Amino acid sequence: MSKFSEKCKALLQENGTNVYRLSNDSSLERTTLQRMVTGKRLPGIEFVKQFCRELRMPLAEEKHLIELYKMEVIGEEVYRNRQCIHNLIRYLFRLEKSGYHEQQIPKSRELIFGKVHSGGVTDYDYLIYSTLEKCFQNEKPVSIYTNYPATDTYFFRQIQILNRRYPDNKVRIEHRVHFQINTALMAANLQILYNVMPLTLSGTLDYTSCYYYSRVTDEELCQFFLPYYIITPTCLLEISGDLQNVIIHTEGKKIQDYLTEYKRLNCYVKPLFQYSNTPEEAWEHYTKQIPENVRQLHVIGAQPCYRDLITDPDFRACVERHHPEFYHFAGSIVENHSFYQNKEMNLFFSEEGLDYFCDTGKLTGQIGALLPPLSVEERIAALERFLHHNPLHHYYLFTSDIQIPFYLNFEMYGDKQFQLIQITDELEVSIFTVTESSICDAFWDYTSSLPESEYVRTEEETEKVVRGKLKRLRLMME
């Protein structure tokens, strides 16, 4: 029996009933109910929801049972991977709202460490934090090299706090992380992405991450002798596999020997993100990184793609009028338009982003940041154009269960790579390209599942919502 069927059987017993009595007292078909409880066949989701209603289950318990059902339908590993990406997108939304500094500065020094025992702060916590803090306090540029396990949130929490406490720091952090080869452990790779993204996107910290593959898990590393390290200009920390003990070295030769070995191994790692920072560099990077022979794309953003809202001539005219310094590559953008015109695309956006466009006329993300706020007349024309968009482009509006960052766009090119594009209203541009295969596979699976999920409205429902916004804008003109 599966976890789902075992839970269903337990729920019947806890409610003092059985298959026979419940089917007699409700409209639940007895054979279907019997097969569900014995694990012989899964029913449809509506049958499971009706089962929950008939047993008058609390919402939390119903949610748990639905989760077990989904795990049974698609597999526990796939389900957890999808939930991890779902949570990552919501997490990035919260971080964007708080300027990528979610952590609050603690009022007392003791609260900073996060591993306080009954006897007080451990030596491990004090040594890790104080070593990092000295680097952030330094007025000169300082480099930190580490392979601290990226699945553990402790290191990231300390860096976030220090980055906020010392916003003018000159620290550069190079983080070497290991990804699991075993695809069954893909969730660990996604957890690494979850942890490194806030530091990568912070804009106030020079943080880079490089990865290599390994079959060794974090649990197995607990058996290794001091497998982790943090190297700074003045000290070296050797850290135990269970993250409970640390040895500090201050002699220069020891530090230099570690640093030499660290650099020797650079040929075995790859950058997790490849990125550019200016609009021109970003666009050049963007076009070079698009894989060849792509047949389908998936895009997640706050708003519909500007290509389905504004004509190419209008786009070029707006750029020339408001940002003439970028007009020289506006033509390149338009020329590249044909690439998207001929590709099938699933595009997912939020109602909050749509409302922002309707209320302000401002397009967020991608190249839309080059455009000024559109007038009400232009917004009406844009939504009318959207309702007659390219038939190869399929739009889905997210429900309120998921919130999308305003200034981040995710573009998935099959299971080969995805690009994370960050463009603010101030034209601060970063394009991050991820080619690590397990992460790309997971994101492609997640976005492929969205049209059939409860997180998005259908194409017809999406069009109905857009028509409602269009009607409201027309009333504003009367």
Side-chain angles (χ1 to χ4, degrees):
M1 292 177 66
S2 66
K3 294 179 181 179
F4 170 71
S5 57
E6 288 177 351
K7 182 63 176 178
C8 290
K9 183 177 181 180
L11 286 168
L12 286 175
Q13 294 173 346
E14 291 170 7
N15 282 271
T17 187
N18 56 36
V19 170
Y20 179 80
R21 286 201 295 271
L22 184 60
S23 62
N24 278 348
D25 296 339
S26 68
S27 58
L28 292 171
E29 203 275 322
R30 185 181 305 172
T31 302
T32 304
L33 185 59
Q34 179 67 25
R35 288 173 176 172
M36 181 181 78
V37 172
T38 57
K40 293 181 178 180
R41 182 178 296 178
L42 280 173
I45 184 66
E46 291 304 321
F47 186 91
V48 178
K49 291 180 178 179
Q50 186 181 354
F51 173 76
C52 295
R53 290 193 295 270
E54 294 294 343
L55 293 182
R56 299 180 296 281
M57 290 168 56
L59 288 178
E61 196 170 38
E62 179 180 345
K63 181 179 178 181
H64 177 59
L65 185 65
I66 296 297
E67 286 180 346
L68 292 177
Y69 172 81
K70 291 177 180 178
M71 290 182 192
E72 186 69 12
V73 171
I74 63 176
E76 185 171 348
E77 178 192 339
V78 173
Y79 176 81
R80 296 198 183 283
N81 290 341
R82 291 178 183 177
Q83 285 299 112
C84 185
I85 294 173
H86 182 73
N87 292 335
L88 171 63
I89 293 173
R90 292 196 296 184
Y91 180 42
L92 291 175
F93 172 83
R94 296 198 307 272
L95 289 176
E96 185 180 84
K97 290 291 187 182
S98 60
Y100 296 98
H101 293 287
E102 190 178 56
Q103 298 289 340
Q104 297 295 320
I105 298 178
K107 293 181 180 179
S108 65
R109 186 179 181 83
E110 286 72 24
L111 291 177
I112 291 173
F113 301 106
K115 291 184 178 181
V116 181
H117 301 280
S118 57
V121 177
T122 67
D123 289 341
Y124 174 91
D125 303 314
Y126 176 75
L127 285 173
I128 295 289
Y129 184 83
S130 62
T131 298
L132 295 173
E133 186 177 37
K134 288 176 183 177
C135 294
F136 277 80
Q137 290 173 331
N138 203 313
E139 295 182 357
K140 298 180 180 179
V142 176
S143 294
I144 299 173
Y145 304 92
T146 184
N147 70 337
Y148 201 96
T151 52
D152 186 82
T153 60
Y154 174 75
F155 175 79
F156 298 96
R157 188 167 64 249
Q158 308 310 309
I159 294 298
Q160 284 180 306
I161 292 171
L162 286 167
N163 189 37
R164 182 159 184 161
R165 183 179 286 272
Y166 304 101
D168 298 324
N169 71 83
K170 298 180 180 179
V171 173
R172 175 180 176 272
I173 301 175
E174 189 172 310
H175 196 175
R176 191 166 288 174
V177 304
H178 82 267
F179 281 115
Q180 295 296 330
I181 294 177
N182 187 348
T183 56
L185 301 174
M186 190 184 297
N189 296 350
L190 290 171
Q191 180 62 45
I192 291 173
L193 187 69
Y194 187 97
N195 288 336
V196 304
M197 286 303 292
L199 300 187
T200 303
L201 294 169
S202 70
T204 59
L205 183 69
D206 187 357
Y207 172 88
T208 59
S209 51
C210 297
Y211 72 93
Y212 64 94
Y213 288 107
S214 173
R215 290 185 174 87
V216 181
T217 65
D218 290 342
E219 290 75 16
E220 291 170 329
L221 280 168
C222 288
Q223 305 171 34
F224 285 60
F225 181 69
L226 303 174
Y228 304 117
Y229 54 80
I230 297 176
I231 308 171
T232 78
T234 58
C235 71
L236 161 70
L237 301 183
E238 292 183 303
I239 303 168
S240 63
D242 61 0
L243 306 180
Q244 295 298 317
N245 298 285
V246 60
I247 300 175
I248 186 168
H249 304 274
T250 57
E251 56 270 31
K253 186 177 185 307
K254 180 84 170 180
I255 298 170
Q256 188 58 46
D257 287 345
Y258 249 80
L259 190 56
T260 299
E261 184 65 9
Y262 178 92
K263 292 181 177 179
R264 183 187 71 81
L265 297 174
N266 277 340
C267 61
Y268 297 105
V269 298
K270 296 180 180 179
L272 179 55
F273 301 101
Q274 303 173 42
Y275 54 92
S276 305
N277 291 312
T278 67
E280 295 93 335
E281 290 177 358
W283 180 251
E284 183 179 355
H285 170 87
Y286 178 78
T287 53
K288 285 182 178 179
Q289 292 298 324
I290 296 176
E292 296 181 1
N293 304 319
V294 174
R295 296 183 178 180
Q296 188 178 29
L297 289 80
H298 295 164
V299 179
I300 295 177
Q303 298 175 343
C305 179
Y306 85 95
R307 298 178 184 89
D308 287 318
L309 295 171
I310 301 174
T311 66
D312 288 340
D314 287 344
F315 170 72
R316 297 184 70 163
C318 280
V319 172
E320 184 177 23
R321 187 164 58 251
H322 296 278
H323 292 287
E325 69 274 22
F326 297 126
Y327 184 73
H328 63 281
F329 79 94
S332 174
I333 295 171
V334 171
E335 290 172 9
N336 194 57
H337 194 170
S338 60
F339 172 84
Y340 298 93
Q341 287 292 93
N342 302 323
K343 300 292 186 295
E344 185 174 357
M345 299 173 64
N346 285 345
L347 303 104
F348 308 92
F349 66 104
S350 69
E351 188 163 2
E352 184 178 8
L354 180 62
D355 284 336
Y356 181 72
F357 171 72
C358 292
D359 294 339
T360 68
K362 187 62 183 162
L363 288 166
T364 65
Q366 291 189 316
I367 307 303
L370 290 171
L371 303 176
L374 303 184
S375 66
V376 176
E377 296 92 333
E378 290 171 325
R379 294 172 222 171
I380 291 173
L383 292 187
E384 288 175 340
R385 177 176 167 79
F386 172 82
L387 293 173
H388 299 89
H389 61 70
N390 188 330
L392 291 176
H393 297 178
H394 308 284
Y395 279 95
Y396 303 90
L397 192 65
F398 279 110
T399 65
S400 58
D401 293 326
I402 183 169
Q403 294 173 303
I404 306 299
F406 264 41
Y407 300 105
L408 288 177
N409 275 50
F410 298 81
E411 292 190 4
M412 275 61 65
Y413 301 88
D415 57 358
K416 302 181 185 302
Q417 75 174 46
F418 82 84
Q419 299 205 91
L420 182 61
I421 304 161
Q422 183 185 46
I423 304 182
T424 68
D425 289 339
E426 292 74 30
L427 293 179
E428 297 174 348
V429 183
S430 297
I431 296 185
F432 306 90
T433 302
V434 181
T435 57
E436 200 286 315
S437 58
S438 68
I439 291 177
C440 293
D441 285 343
F443 268 85
W444 184 253
D445 169 75
Y446 173 77
T447 50
S448 296
S449 71
L450 282 177
E452 304 301 324
S453 74
E454 70 272 25
Y455 298 125
V456 300
R457 296 183 172 97
T458 65
E459 289 186 83
E460 293 75 17
E461 291 170 337
T462 298
E463 181 179 323
K464 183 178 180 180
V465 171
V466 173
R467 289 188 182 279
K469 309 294 183 185
L470 180 58
K471 182 178 179 180
R472 181 165 64 86
L473 285 174
R474 285 171 175 159
L475 289 174
M476 291 173 59
M477 293 295 297
E478 294 179 356

